[in-house]
Amino acid sequence: MKHDIKPLIEVIPYRRRVWIAGFLKTTISSGLIATGIVSIFAGIIDHPLLKGYHEIGIMVGLISIGLSIAIITMIDHYDEKKKKEELEIIDSKIEDKAEEVAKKLVDKELEKILEGCK
């Protein structure tokens, strides 16, 4: 009786993790950080010492950078969780394969014993 063990590449949804933790995280964080830096500099340039009151640019910039840090943290937490799930799947696969090998060895030994009894 052979156990059907699927390859790890079929069991672990690695592609989704790469897109979320790689592409999506980089794109969103880069855009928000760039927006934050530009807004901060625009707010500083338009600061009351130079003209009128434009602290809103500084606030938008800080909020944008803070939001990017929050998003990066959330995605990294997701990535860590998915990596742990992958390792659990790998451990499970190793255990399944070890059981299959042990069963084959026991079956072979039983066959030898039965042949010896005949």
Side-chain angles (χ1 to χ4, degrees):
M1 182 190 306
K2 183 176 179 179
H3 294 277
D4 186 29
I5 298 177
K6 292 182 181 178
L8 288 174
I9 196 73
E10 292 177 16
V11 178
I12 298 172
Y14 190 70
R15 176 178 245 165
R16 183 180 334 144
R17 190 175 140 236
V18 168
W19 274 96
I20 290 173
F23 175 76
L24 190 63
K25 178 177 134 181
T26 302
T27 304
I28 291 173
S29 63
S30 297
L32 288 171
I33 289 171
T35 300
I37 291 171
V38 168
S39 296
I40 288 171
F41 281 124
I44 291 171
I45 290 171
D46 293 334
H47 197 268
L49 296 175
L50 301 175
K51 289 186 189 178
Y53 290 91
H54 294 284
E55 287 86 8
I56 190 77
I58 295 171
M59 292 306 297
V60 167
L62 291 174
I63 290 169
S64 180
I65 291 172
L67 185 60
S68 69
I69 291 170
I71 288 172
I72 290 170
T73 303
M74 287 179 358
I75 291 175
D76 282 346
H77 179 70
Y78 168 83
D79 191 35
E80 181 181 344
K81 179 179 150 189
K82 289 300 176 184
K83 186 62 178 178
K84 285 179 182 177
E85 288 175 8
E86 287 176 16
L87 293 174
E88 288 172 1
I89 290 170
I90 291 169
D91 283 345
S92 172
K93 289 284 191 183
I94 290 171
E95 288 175 13
D96 289 347
K97 194 64 174 174
E99 285 178 17
E100 182 180 328
V101 169
K103 186 177 181 332
K104 284 181 183 178
L105 291 173
V106 168
D107 287 346
K108 281 184 183 179
E109 289 301 317
L110 285 174
E111 285 178 20
K112 286 180 185 177
I113 293 171
L114 289 174
E115 286 178 12
C117 290
K118 290 182 182 181

